[in-house]
Structure formats: structure tokens, C-alpha cells
Amino acid sequence: MTGSEHIVKAMDHELAHLDHVIAEMGGLAERQLEDAVEALVRGDFTLAKKVIAKDVEIDDLESEIAQFVVRFLARRQPMADDLRAIVAGLKIAANIERIGDYAKNIAKRTLVIEDPTQLQSARHAIARMAKVVQEMISGVLGAYIARDVAQAKDVLARDSEVDQLNTSLFRELLTYMMEDPRQISRCTHFLFMAKNLERMGDHATGIAEQVTFIVTGETPREERAKQDASSATVLDSSDSST
Amino acid sequence: MSMTENTATSLNAAAANSAPTQGGALLSARDIEVAYSGKVALSGVSLDILPNQVTALIGPSGCGKSTFLRCLNRMNDVIPGAKVSGEIMFDGHDILGADIDVVSLRRRVGMVFQKPNPFPKSIYDNIAYGPKIHGLAPNRDALDVIVRDSLERAGLWGEVHDRLKSPGTSLSGGQQQRLCIARAIAVKPDLILMDEPCSSLDPIATARIEELIDELRERYTIIIVTHSMQQAARVSQKTAFFYLGELVETGETDDIFTRPADKRTQAYITGRVG
Ligand SMILES: Nc1ncnc2c1ncn2[C@@H]1O[C@H](COP(=O)(O)OP(=O)(O)O)[C@@H](O)[C@H]1O
Ligand SMILES: [Mg+2]
């Protein structure tokens, strides 16, 4: 936001409403992840079922945002930062919706894995990974509400942490599967859960890019491409001199 | 140095050496200041107009858009108390120079106004008048060709070819505006200035004019003043934002409406309190 208000006050209210719904949606997705992982660690099937049932609430909020954005574009014809906020809002809602889907998928797999006493160590490794992802989600929602590019960049930086945890969990699960082939099916579910978490992290970074776009008009990717292009120019000129 | 393709005489009465304008611009305004009876209405405006592009001038009422436009064809000359300074290079000459042939300048820089203002004459004569006085048509046949050509380019021929003798004022508002555009085109200008050309038209007539502007860009360079941000975004390649007699920001239209650099531009185009 530029700080000053719109002459048409309804525009301020409507843009604030978008922020509000996205924050609500994001908070819901964050809690879904938390509950899904708690259900996994504790072997709590009731909680897992609750997570599965609750996903529709996130889907509904996404539809609400999509409808709102179309109406806003048609009625207000936003420009500049308003336009960027609206377009980014639609993308962020889609990112959150996917995060919700992955939480639901973790809960579904928890039900299939059955015996909650098995593979405790892997469950805790998943929980550690989930904690980082959850911090990324909450960090990026904060960055969105505050329109804080620095905070958004912090979230981008944590993505590699998730990738590393994912790799080490993958190795750990491989050893279990080699030790005892009867664990292969269970371990496969854990592998997919880790993959889900890794994808959630990607969606959190996707949101972080949108926050940067809202504030600066450029995504970090475009900034990077520009830097790459400038370094390529340097290379080209040194090439031609040889 | 080769002569330009234009049929009419050089802008400069003395027909001096014609140097190309720098940077590929058709027209370069530098440090323009306009005062009405000592009251400054516009100052420090420097703007390059690129050929075959539509440049939109936007900004709140009274910020000096029309004043700037009038500098480009010396229309401020006819306003008592108006004083213009600076330099406007166009085809190697300073438009503001004392030796400029204003009649030939106004042939090369046409103007379309907010309210369609056809002459109280027939459709045919509205178009034929300019070419006749500028000696662009050696005979009646040549004049017929210019009239038809201009009406075709203005997208009006199909609607009026069977009633060229009817008065221009018998047309609808949108048709009258296209007649005025045809009239401007008829004298083979380089630059066409349009001051809020759609503000008295309905959305359909407005869309026709916008479509026409897009077609005309192939042959002409256009500067349009508009109060509709959406219109500026739709029709122009370059946008210049004026505020309180100053040129605040100019750039690619794609950038101005998605990520303007100046806070004042941002506030204006998003409808915020400045
Ligand atoms: N003929 C005139 N005589 C005196 N002042 C004028 C005249 N035309 C414009 N002005 C003043 O110059 C300023 C810029 O006006 P104008 O160029 O018409 O703005 P815009 O086209 O952006 O609405 C305003 O303050 C206006 O009052
Ligand atoms: Mg005006």
C-alpha cells in the first residue's frame, strides 16, 4: 500500500477484505499442516480425519477469492500496485489451496499407514521438516500482510533447508527399506509425505515471490534473470576477446 | 541531404539546412515553459515523441496537458497574454522559432478537439477544404481521391459515400469526430494531436475511435490527451503524466500502468488522494 487512501473508499475496504481472506486462508492451511503432522506423530486417526474433512473450507475460500478478484477487476479496473495486489492475491490463494491439499494428503496417508508405533524416527523427521515448512508459511503470510520484501526473501532462503531435510529423510528411509522389505509400503508413504512437505515449501516461496511482485513490480525470478543476463554479457565480451 | 517525402514547403520560411532530430524522435520538446498573463501554467517540460507511436498525456484537470499540446502547433500564439519559451525541434527546426511558417506547421501537425467541430459545410467540403488551401490537389479528380482516401482511413467512407453532399453536422457525434479525423488526415500531417477526442462519445463510438487510432499509428504519430486511464492504457505505447504544470513521469505505457516510478503517478492512476 502506498499509505494514502483511495478516493473511492470502497476500494480500500475491498482490498483490505482480500488481505483478510488470504490471511484467514493461510492461517487455516498452517493449522491443517500442524494438525496433519500431529496426527501422524501421535497416530491420531480422529485428528487425521478432521484434517481431511476441513480441507473443503480452504477450497471454498479460494473460490471466494477467485470470484472477488473477477468482480474487482470488472468493477474497479485497478492500476499499478492495486492491479499487482489483485493479480498476486489470486495466485497466492491458489498457492495456499495447494498447501491445504498437501496437508490433507499427509492425513490420508496417516490413515493408510496404520500401526502408529512403527517407524517413530521417520515420523519425527517428518515433524522436523514440517516445522520448517510451517515457519515458512507463517513467515510468508506475515510478509504478505506487512508487504515486507525483506521478510519474503528470508522465506526464499529457507527453501534449501527443506530440500536438505528431505534428502536426509530419503536416505534414512532407504536404509529401513533395505533392512526390512516388509516396511517398503509404509516407507513409501513417508517418502510421499516428505515430498508433500517439500512442495508446500515451494508454494511458500511462490507466495514470497508474489509479495515481492506486489511491492516492487518485479518477481525475484525476473531480478535474477536480469543479473544472469548482465553476467552473460560480461562472459560474451571476454569470449569475443579471445 | 535528401528532401523529406512531404509535398508541402519546408517549415522554415528561409528553408535552411535541415538536421535530423536526435535519437530517432519525431519531435523533441526541451524545457518548455508557458505562462498566461505572467502566471506559469507549465514549466520545465522536456519530452521526446517517437514516430508511429501513440503517446498519451494524462493528469488531473488544469495540469497543463492542453497547454502543452497547443505548443506543438503554435495554437498558444492566438491566446492573448500567452508566453511560450523553450525549444521544440521538429524536422530540424525549432517550432517556437520566429521564422517558422505557422500555416505549414499546422498542416503537418493536425488537431482533433474534444467536441467534434465539423465546418458548417458538406461532408465532402469538410475534407476538401484543407487540401485545397494547401494546394495539395492540382485538380478535381485528385481532390476526389484525397477525400475518399481520407474518409476510408478514418473508417467513415462506408457510412457516408452516398451522401457526401449532406452537411457534416448531420452525422452522429462519433461520425462527426471521425470526420474531423479524416479532415486532419486529408492534409497529410506527420503528427496528429487529439485533445480528449472521445469525452463526448458513447462507448461504441469511443471504441471505433480507439480502433482507428491504432490503425492510424502505421502512418502517423499521435499524441492524445485523455481523462480515461483505461483509454490511455488501451491506445498508447508511451504515457506521460503531468501534474501541477510539471511533467512528472514518462515511459512505456506497459510500465506506467503496472509499476509507475513516481508516487504522484501511482496516486493518480490508482485513484488515491495525492
Ligand atoms: N487561455 C487561457 N488563459 C489563461 N489561463 C489558461 C488558459 N488556458 C489554460 N489556462 C490555465 O493553464 C493551466 C493549465 O490548463 P490546461 O492546459 O487547460 O490544463 P489541462 O488540459 O491539463 O486540463 C490551468 O491553470 C488553466 O487555468
Ligand atoms: Mg485540457
Side-chain angles (χ1 to χ4, degrees), chain B residues 65-66 195-196 225:
Chain B
K65 304 177 299 290
S66 298
D195 198 346
E196 300 177 40
V225 170

Side-chain angles (χ1 to χ4, degrees), chain A:
Chain A
M1 301 276 133
T2 37
S4 56
E5 289 158 6
H6 288 90
I7 295 160
V8 177
K9 290 200 181 63
M11 251 176 111
D12 287 329
H13 297 151
E14 287 168 13
L15 287 166
H17 172 73
L18 177 65
D19 278 7
H20 181 85
V21 179
I22 284 180
E24 183 187 346
M25 211 184 150
L28 208 56
E30 209 184 317
R31 210 167 328 118
Q32 285 281 86
L33 169 60
E34 203 179 327
D35 287 351
V37 172
E38 193 179 328
L40 172 73
V41 171
R42 296 209 322 245
D44 183 340
F45 293 172
T46 317
L47 185 56
K49 283 178 188 149
K50 198 186 119 200
V51 169
I52 294 166
K54 220 172 159 60
D55 183 54
V56 67
E57 288 180 29
I58 297 180
D59 293 352
D60 288 349
L61 286 174
E62 195 210 2
S63 311
E64 185 186 322
I65 287 174
Q67 266 178 30
F68 165 84
V69 166
V70 169
R71 254 182 274 135
F72 191 92
L73 286 171
R75 291 168 53 126
R76 307 291 181 199
Q77 294 149 26
M79 290 288 190
D81 60 337
D82 295 337
L83 178 59
R84 301 200 301 266
I86 281 292
V87 172
L90 188 64
K91 286 193 171 186
I92 289 171
N95 279 308
I96 296 174
E97 191 271 331
R98 294 300 292 151
I99 289 174
D101 283 350
Y102 287 122
K104 174 176 155 185
N105 191 267
I106 288 174
K108 277 186 175 169
R109 290 181 189 280
T110 297
L111 295 179
V112 180
I113 290 172
E114 294 169 339
D115 189 351
T117 63
Q118 293 287 315
L119 290 176
Q120 277 298 322
S121 147
R123 286 168 205 257
H124 286 290
I126 293 273
R128 272 197 303 282
M129 208 175 147
K131 185 150 187 308
V132 179
V133 172
Q134 202 196 315
E135 282 167 9
M136 286 174 75
I137 297 170
S138 107
V140 83
L141 290 171
Y144 170 74
I145 295 302
R147 302 290 196 260
D148 185 335
V149 174
Q151 200 182 340
K153 292 221 163 105
D154 289 345
V155 172
L156 289 176
R158 298 202 72 180
D159 200 36
S160 59
E161 222 177 301
V162 177
D163 290 345
Q164 274 164 23
L165 285 170
N166 187 26
T167 309
S168 77
L169 179 64
F170 177 73
R171 281 203 215 97
E172 184 182 344
L173 288 166
L174 272 188
T175 62
Y176 296 144
M177 290 191 277
M178 285 188 286
E179 270 169 25
D180 182 358
R182 282 169 304 173
Q183 295 283 27
I184 285 178
S185 143
R186 189 170 281 128
C187 282
T188 306
H189 285 297
F190 282 113
L191 281 177
F192 277 117
M193 287 185 197
K195 185 71 195 160
N196 286 344
L197 289 169
E198 193 252 322
R199 295 294 298 138
M200 287 175 170
D202 289 346
H203 284 290
T205 56
I207 296 172
E209 288 180 355
Q210 292 306 313
V211 171
T212 307
F213 172 71
I214 293 174
V215 177
T216 68
E218 280 185 16
T219 63
R221 230 175 301 172
E222 282 172 321
E223 284 170 20
R224 242 180 285 140
K226 267 191 198 163
Q227 282 160 12
D228 290 352
S230 59
S231 59
T233 323
V234 173
L235 282 180
D236 284 351
S237 59
S238 67
D239 276 357
S240 60
S241 67
T242 55

Side-chain angles (χ1 to χ4, degrees), chain B residues 36 39 41 59-68 70 79 195-196 225 227:
Chain B
Y36 296 105
K39 197 167 168 288
S61 284
C63 68
K65 304 177 299 290
S66 298
T67 295
F68 178 72
R70 283 197 298 267
I79 297 177
D195 198 346
E196 300 177 40
V225 170
H227 273 135

Side-chain angles (χ1 to χ4, degrees), chain B residues 27-139:
Chain B
L27 179 148
S28 289
R30 287 291 170 274
D31 213 18
I32 300 304
E33 177 169 313
V34 181
Y36 296 105
S37 311
K39 197 167 168 288
V40 174
L42 195 69
S43 73
V45 173
S46 295
L47 182 63
D48 282 349
I49 301 297
L50 296 181
N52 300 101
Q53 289 207 334
V54 179
T55 301
L57 311 185
I58 61 168
S61 284
C63 68
K65 304 177 299 290
S66 298
T67 295
F68 178 72
L69 220 52
R70 283 197 298 267
C71 293
L72 307 182
N73 64 354
R74 293 271 296 260
M75 290 275 281
N76 285 318
D77 287 11
V78 300
I79 297 177
K83 193 180 167 301
V84 180
S85 67
E87 181 190 85
I88 301 174
M89 294 307 288
F90 177 60
D91 194 23
H93 299 286
D94 182 1
I95 287 177
L96 301 179
D99 53 352
I100 286 295
D101 173 1
V102 174
V103 173
S104 114
L105 171 68
R106 292 199 187 132
R107 183 193 65 73
R108 296 185 59 182
V109 181
M111 184 132 184
V112 176
F113 297 88
Q114 177 172 351
K115 276 256 238 14
N117 57 346
F119 305 137
K121 288 170 179 254
S122 71
I123 293 169
Y124 185 96
D125 287 341
N126 261 277
I127 311 294
Y129 179 76
K132 257 196 262 179
I133 62 158
H134 287 288
L136 298 180
N139 52 46

